[in-house]
Amino acid sequence: MPTDRYGSDVLGGPAAAHHRARPVSRPQPAERGLVVEEVQTGWVGAVVRVEKSGGMHVVVLEDRRGRTRSFPLGPGFWVDGAPVELTVPVTSRAPAAPARTASGSRAVAGQRARVARGSRIWVEGKHDAELVEKVWGDDLRVEGVVVELLDGVDNLAEALAEFGPTPQRRVGVLVDHLVPGSKERRIADAALRTVPAGTVLVLGHPYVDVWEAVKPARVGLQRWPVIERGTEWKRGILRELGWPAGSQADVARAWQRILGTVRTYADLEPSLLGRVEELIDFVTAPTG
């Protein structure tokens, strides 16, 4: 049987297994500018300074709104999705660690965006596109991959017929609620039968809407609410959150508020992360 090197958890790495060893914190100097998350409170911020207070070292973190908070130096922090034990920074002439993009990839300084490839990634709607851009935008520009709106999976077969995919012009499609037996799964399967094999890859996440791919803790929830069938999902979510839900403008403002909480790949669910990474690999793979 072939193995799925992407897996259901892109953060787990190749050593992930059904029974994982408990992650061990590694020492991490609290260098100025390092972005960390304090596990107990969920506070995320950049290191401003390390100082002594009450006979102990504390690290001062500044969040994206400019607010600061101090925490005891030591264990209980995460950096790039891994546990660390913050230590007093040591002045060193060693080169700085490579910068990372929001997707966790090594940042390529000074490189211009690549000329767009013939291949494309299609997403269902504007919110999907904005989320992909926020986390993977830097990577996509380096690779020359354009993300386009499909405006709903119902249009997939028609859009593929118009595009005419080939081994040199492939299409990766990200679909909401792509689960066995769903309408979306049936539409995707029917569309794939109309194109040459290996030219189109349709992947999806299990969520009704891409909003759910944002970890609920980012908006102060333990889990995303379950909305009754027959209720417009986004409006139902906004009412559950106690946010304005009377107009499309309210929905748009709510999405921007949710999107604003996403800083890196660590704020998204693994079931979305793995699928987007796989689509990028598919459309950028060398052609035979």
Side-chain angles (χ1 to χ4, degrees), residues 122-138:
W122 291 352
V123 297
E124 286 203 68
K126 181 182 177 184
H127 294 178
D128 307 73
E130 289 176 340
L131 187 59
V132 169
E133 162 61 28
K134 181 148 193 186
V135 176
W136 289 275
D138 290 338

Side-chain angles (χ1 to χ4, degrees), residues 82-165:
V84 299
E85 179 175 344
L86 292 183
T87 61
V88 177
V90 178
T91 303
S92 171
R93 296 179 180 273
R100 299 285 173 177
T101 68
S103 72
S105 301
R106 185 186 294 256
V108 182
Q111 180 167 329
R112 292 185 178 183
R114 178 173 174 165
V115 175
R117 297 172 181 266
S119 299
R120 296 287 187 267
I121 289 178
W122 291 352
V123 297
E124 286 203 68
K126 181 182 177 184
H127 294 178
D128 307 73
E130 289 176 340
L131 187 59
V132 169
E133 162 61 28
K134 181 148 193 186
V135 176
W136 289 275
D138 290 338
D139 307 54
L140 294 170
R141 280 182 284 278
V142 168
E143 295 288 352
V145 176
V146 176
V147 175
E148 297 178 341
L149 300 186
L150 182 59
D151 289 329
V153 72
D154 291 349
N155 304 315
L156 180 57
E158 186 178 327
L160 288 173
E162 182 177 348
F163 183 83

Side-chain angles (χ1 to χ4, degrees), residues 234-269:
K234 290 187 175 77
R235 301 281 176 87
I237 288 293
L238 297 186
R239 285 191 284 270
E240 289 282 343
L241 288 168
W243 297 359
S247 67
Q248 189 57 38
D250 290 331
V251 173
R253 282 191 290 269
W255 168 241
Q256 290 306 312
R257 182 174 173 180
I258 294 168
L259 184 63
T261 70
V262 176
R263 306 145 304 179
T264 72
Y265 68 94
D267 296 322
L268 302 181
E269 297 290 355

